């Protein structure tokens, strides 16, 4: 596989930002409670383009001056904007890492707890990607992973492994994903026919990546 883009300093971040902007433009929406719609509708009619620009500039100026006092409307246009912000919610649960996405995951966890009871076990999974030969293999190094217990990357020092990880963070992400899948599938037994793992039969599990 062509790994040139994996080691580029900015390509991954640029593409990630483009994907986030695309999702934000196509998958997010505004939501208003039915009982609030009359107020929100009147506020929308009272908001003009000039008032939006002036209010934005006012907020930017407050930020530059490090003014953390409560924001108060200076005219009827800004009052309508603030009323609209109170009544209209920005729904962004499809965006990973957004507040909407976090709120959605929190509700899913609560739903599982209400259905099956409180969790019995908590895990923090932190794979040692800087010390595992699989990471170097995913980065394209000449490593015989079939000889995994015979020190397949004996030619590489710990510094070489860490440098490889720093040069190719995509390999580190792939390694983490692989370890998480193996942990859930094998250790917890979710991929086994009888769904029994080290701790017996797992009814539900929920995992979040920091």
């Amino acid at each position: 596989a062509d790994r040139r883009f994996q080691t580029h300093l900015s390509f991954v971040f640029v593409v990630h930002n483009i994907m986030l902007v695309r999702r934000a433009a196509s998958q997010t929406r505004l939501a208003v409670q039915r009982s609030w719609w009359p107020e929100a509708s009147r506020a929308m009619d009272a908001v003009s383009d000039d008032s939006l620009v002036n209010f934005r500039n006012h907020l930017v100026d407050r930020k530059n001056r490090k003014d953390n006092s409560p924001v108060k409307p200076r005219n009827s246009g800004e009052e309508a904007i603030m009323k609209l912000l109170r009544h209209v919610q920005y729904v962004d649960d499809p965006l990973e890492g957004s507040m909407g996405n976090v709120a959605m995951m929190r509700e899913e966890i609560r739903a599982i707890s209400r259905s099956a009871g409180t969790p019995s076990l908590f895990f923090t999974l932190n794979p040692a990607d800087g010390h595992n030969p699989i990471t170097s293999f995913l980065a394209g190094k000449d490593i015989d992973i079939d000889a995994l217990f015979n020190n397949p990357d004996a030619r590489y020092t710990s510094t070489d492994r860490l440098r490889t990880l720093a040069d190719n963070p995509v390999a580190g992400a792939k390694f983490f994903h692989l370890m998480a899948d193996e942990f859930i599938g094998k250790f917890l037994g979710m991929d086994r026919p009888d769904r029994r793992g080290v701790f017996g039969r797992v009814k539900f599990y929920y995992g979040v990546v920091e």
Side-chain angles (χ1 to χ4, degrees):
D2 190 350
R3 295 183 175 86
R4 290 177 297 172
F5 296 116
Q6 296 182 7
T7 57
H8 194 278
L9 293 177
S10 59
F11 178 81
V12 176
F13 299 101
V14 172
V15 172
H16 179 67
N17 288 335
I18 292 174
M19 293 174 64
L20 283 181
V21 171
R22 183 177 181 275
R23 289 183 185 178
S26 61
Q27 299 183 19
T28 57
R29 60 196 183 276
L30 300 178
V32 181
Q33 290 187 14
R34 185 184 297 272
S35 60
W36 291 355
W37 174 245
E39 287 289 333
S41 179
R42 285 191 291 269
M44 288 181 190
D45 293 336
V47 173
S48 64
D49 293 342
D50 291 338
S51 61
L52 284 171
V53 173
N54 292 333
F55 190 56
R56 180 201 63 187
N57 294 336
H58 175 57
L59 294 179
V60 171
D61 180 63
R62 285 171 53 90
K63 181 179 179 181
N64 293 335
R65 291 187 286 106
K66 298 182 179 180
D67 185 356
N68 297 321
S69 60
V71 179
K72 296 182 179 180
R74 300 172 297 175
N75 50 53
S76 59
E78 292 186 358
E79 185 176 354
I81 293 173
M82 296 189 68
K83 182 179 293 185
L84 193 61
L85 290 174
R86 287 196 297 269
H87 293 312
V88 176
Q89 297 178 348
Y90 178 69
V91 182
D92 58 350
D93 52 276
L95 297 182
E96 295 181 359
S98 64
M99 293 303 298
N101 184 246
V102 172
M104 181 188 69
M105 291 190 293
R106 187 181 297 121
E107 289 303 317
E108 289 175 344
I109 294 173
R110 287 173 177 167
I112 293 176
S113 297
R114 286 192 290 266
S115 173
T118 56
S120 302
L121 197 64
F122 292 87
F123 270 103
T124 299
L125 187 63
N126 187 18
D129 48 8
H131 303 284
N132 196 303
I134 297 179
T135 308
S136 300
F137 174 79
L138 294 173
K141 299 298 182 181
D142 184 18
I143 293 176
D144 182 12
I145 59 172
D146 292 330
L148 203 57
F149 295 102
N150 295 322
N151 202 7
D153 60 344
R155 294 169 297 169
Y156 300 97
T157 64
S158 178
T159 302
D160 293 330
R161 300 189 192 99
L162 294 174
R163 185 179 290 113
T164 298
L165 180 62
D167 290 339
N168 194 333
V170 175
K174 288 183 176 181
F175 173 77
F176 177 84
H177 187 70
L178 175 64
M179 292 296 103
D181 284 347
E182 290 299 312
F183 177 81
I184 294 171
K186 305 299 190 299
F187 197 82
L188 298 184
M190 302 306 294
D191 290 344
R192 300 178 185 273
D194 57 357
R195 296 174 69 88
R196 287 187 180 276
V198 175
F199 300 102
R201 190 186 300 275
V202 177
K203 189 174 183 180
F204 293 103
Y205 74 91
Y206 200 95
V208 177
V209 180
E210 292 184 354

